[in-house]
Amino acid sequence: MDRGQFSSKFGFIMAAAGAAVGLGNIWGFPTQVASNGGAAFVLVYLILAFCLAYPALMAELIVGRATRHNAVIALPMLTDVPLLKLGGKVVGIAGLITVAVILSFYAIVAGWMFASALEPVLTTLGFTQYGQWVSTFGLSRNIVFTVLFMVATVLIICGGVRQGIERWSTRLMPALVVILLLLIAYMMTLPGALKGLEVYLVPDFSQVFDGGLLVSALGQAFFSLSLGVGCMLIYGSYMSSKENIVQVGAWVTLIDVGLAFVAGLLIIPAMYVAQHYGVEIFDQNGQLLGGDTLIFKVLPSLFAQMGSIGVFVAFAFFMLMSLAALTSSISLLEVPVAYVVESHNVERKKASWGIGALITAFSLIIVFNFEALFGLVIAITTRYSQPILGIFFCVYAGWVWQRNNALTEIKKGNAGAQHSIFWAVWPWYVRFVCPVFILAMFIHSL
Ligand code: TRP
């Protein structure tokens, strides 16, 4: 079969980083920092991202590129033992289901981003009523924007790897970084910002070993790097064999973690600025008010401080966020679509619309039962499914697969790999350290 492939190293890094950078970085990470003890969470997150998530990312990329298939086919290919083949298939399918559920809540939040981008435009043009509607939490608004976002995702996925995924990812990231940095510089001049900076950067070490904090940080790291569902495995399967896969994976991790850190640098101080201007962000018990909508309250109040230019900034920021969400959502939809296309010979277009419709339906069920389902679905998929499935991906890459096959794959595009630090550490790392630590963290949290 004619599989797509990314055209260059830069194209791949941007596409994979585009998949990794999204709502998880700019909405999820700061929200988690705010509700989990500030800088202590940041510290634990950084350690877990580099020490546990990066090796797990490498496991997916390497297996993906070596097998050139989606996870449901790829994991069984690593072994000849029938029972292990079956197990691989089960893990792959569990990943498919997880990824579909993730996309169903992701589309809702992405819809909020898009709605927030339209608000300043509508209000400036004099459509104040519509501006009000798009910026207020409500059933009709949530339905419209969730569906819009899903349609946009399906349209891009119809286009395949190079046309669809790569082209969209290469230009966005730099623009996003620039606007974040400009906003941070501006915000630091406002009252309250330094207090926020302190909360973000000075950890309270007594909280570092809190079980709940550890599991949240681990889930956040796995979510942000898009692990445990075969998403990065698919991206690896589209990577050219000429690239140095170890280096490429490191770049993707650095960009993703770096952007989350920068986003926190904006959002956490912005919370305290907003508080200074009278926006309520904590209730009497010190709990965050509506953590899921936090940044949709905090950021607009920051933009409002900027005067007339704030309208443009608000539009630019939320538009970029919508597009960043789009480069992530296409990676989510790609997982089930690639499976149906490859394993069941369905035409790409048909598969995209069919699966897109199914996921949209599930999204709408969440929208209609928001209070009951939204937080629950996020907790189950990101805190539990992803890290636990991540253990299995590590076990398949480290134990089930022949060590020599992994080495052969890494050596492509990196002839000296056998004598590198990566090869000295990674094989036993995915065998022992990743599975044991992830498990230990769960046991600790119970
Ligand atoms: N990592 C993306 C974000 O931070 C979301 C995402 C894309 C994802 N693909 C994924 C999450 C696969 C889990 C699994 O916004």
Side-chain angles (χ1 to χ4, degrees):
M1 191 192 323
D2 182 24
R3 281 178 71 79
Q5 201 172 88
F6 292 111
S7 62
S8 67
K9 176 156 148 186
F10 181 70
F12 179 84
I13 293 178
M14 282 301 131
V21 173
L23 301 174
N25 303 63
I26 282 125
W27 170 75
F29 176 71
T31 308
Q32 295 248 30
V33 171
S35 40
N36 282 295
F41 185 88
V42 179
L43 182 68
V44 173
Y45 174 79
L46 291 178
I47 294 173
L48 294 183
F50 288 115
C51 298
L52 286 184
Y54 169 66
L57 169 69
M58 290 313 300
E60 286 201 36
L61 288 179
I62 294 168
V63 170
R65 196 175 74 170
T67 56
R68 297 233 177 262
H69 277 292
N70 69 80
V72 182
I73 302 179
L75 292 179
M77 277 168 75
L78 304 180
T79 169
D80 291 323
V81 183
L83 197 65
L84 288 175
K85 274 184 176 298
L86 181 68
K89 200 168 172 178
V90 171
V91 171
I93 289 174
L96 287 186
I97 297 171
T98 305
V99 92
V101 177
I102 289 177
L103 180 52
S104 70
F105 76 73
Y106 205 83
I108 300 174
V109 182
W112 296 341
M113 290 287 174
F114 190 46
S116 302
L118 289 187
E119 191 275 333
V121 178
L122 290 169
T123 309
T124 310
L125 294 178
F127 300 108
T128 335
Q129 231 181 349
Y130 292 104
Q132 193 76 35
W133 177 71
V134 296
S135 60
T136 313
F137 191 94
L139 191 61
S140 59
R141 181 204 68 164
N142 286 350
I143 294 173
V144 168
F145 283 94
T146 301
V147 172
L148 271 181
F149 187 80
M150 281 303 299
V151 169
T153 303
V154 169
L155 284 175
I156 297 180
I157 281 299
C158 282
V161 169
R162 213 172 280 185
Q163 281 302 311
I165 299 176
E166 183 177 333
R167 220 173 55 178
W168 276 83
S169 301
T170 31
R171 282 163 221 154
L172 263 166
M173 212 78 55
L176 191 64
V177 174
V178 170
I179 199 166
L180 280 173
L181 292 179
L182 288 178
L183 280 173
I184 292 172
Y186 170 75
M187 193 207 36
M188 286 304 160
T189 67
L190 298 177
L194 289 181
K195 167 93 174 68
L197 205 58
E198 190 185 324
V199 172
Y200 188 59
L201 295 177
V202 183
D204 168 3
F205 287 100
S206 68
Q207 293 192 30
V208 164
F209 295 104
D210 178 75
L213 188 151
L214 285 173
V215 174
S216 298
L218 182 69
Q220 179 59 34
F222 269 68
F223 183 81
S224 194
L225 277 170
S226 314
L227 301 178
V229 296
C231 179
M232 284 302 178
L233 193 149
I234 296 233
Y235 273 57
S237 80
Y238 299 141
M239 192 197 307
S240 153
S241 295
K242 292 192 215 85
E243 313 301 353
N244 178 342
I245 197 167
V246 175
Q247 203 184 59
V248 165
W251 269 115
V252 172
T253 309
L254 269 177
I255 294 174
D256 184 57
V257 174
L259 259 158
F261 185 78
V262 172
L265 217 45
L266 172 68
I267 311 279
I268 304 297
M271 279 172 53
Y272 289 83
V273 173
Q275 196 179 32
H276 181 88
Y277 287 116
V279 179
E280 251 186 79
I281 51 173
F282 293 109
D283 67 14
Q284 283 149 343
N285 308 323
Q287 290 293 357
L288 269 192
L289 286 176
D292 52 346
T293 54
L294 181 73
I295 82 163
F296 299 96
K297 285 195 201 111
V298 164
L299 287 177
S301 87
L302 186 69
F303 299 140
Q305 297 301 321
M306 298 179 151
S308 49
I309 195 183
V311 175
F312 297 100
V313 179
F315 172 74
F317 177 83
F318 282 117
M319 206 58 210
L320 278 173
M321 271 320 299
S322 308
L323 294 174
L326 202 54
T327 55
S328 296
S329 68
I330 54 183
S331 78
L332 288 159
L333 184 58
E334 178 68 14
V335 179
V337 168
Y339 165 71
V340 173
V341 169
E342 283 176 16
S343 301
H344 298 284
N345 273 323
V346 180
E347 199 200 337
R348 188 169 182 92
K349 222 171 170 171
K350 250 191 219 156
S352 308
W353 282 106
I355 295 169
L358 264 177
I359 294 176
T360 308
F362 194 68
S363 251
L364 292 180
I365 295 180
I366 301 178
V367 166
F368 277 102
N369 303 281
F370 192 83
E371 288 302 321
L373 291 182
F374 184 72
L376 182 72
V377 162
I378 294 182
I380 294 176
T381 50
T382 66
R383 289 181 62 154
Y384 299 99
S385 299
Q386 277 193 277
I388 290 170
L389 287 173
I391 297 181
F392 285 103
F393 278 96
C394 288
V395 166
Y396 267 78
W399 291 98
V400 176
W401 202 20
Q402 289 263 327
R403 211 176 117 101
N404 275 339
N405 295 339
L407 181 60
T408 310
E409 188 53 42
I410 296 172
K411 272 180 158 171
K412 294 177 188 162
N414 178 12
Q418 194 159 9
H419 308 290
S420 65
I421 306 177
F422 182 81
W423 186 248
V425 176
W426 183 79
W428 66 265
Y429 214 91
V430 278
R431 285 183 141 201
F432 298 100
V433 180
C434 289
V436 169
F437 267 81
I438 295 173
L439 259 183
M441 243 174 273
F442 277 108
I443 295 168
H444 180 64
S445 79
L446 292 179

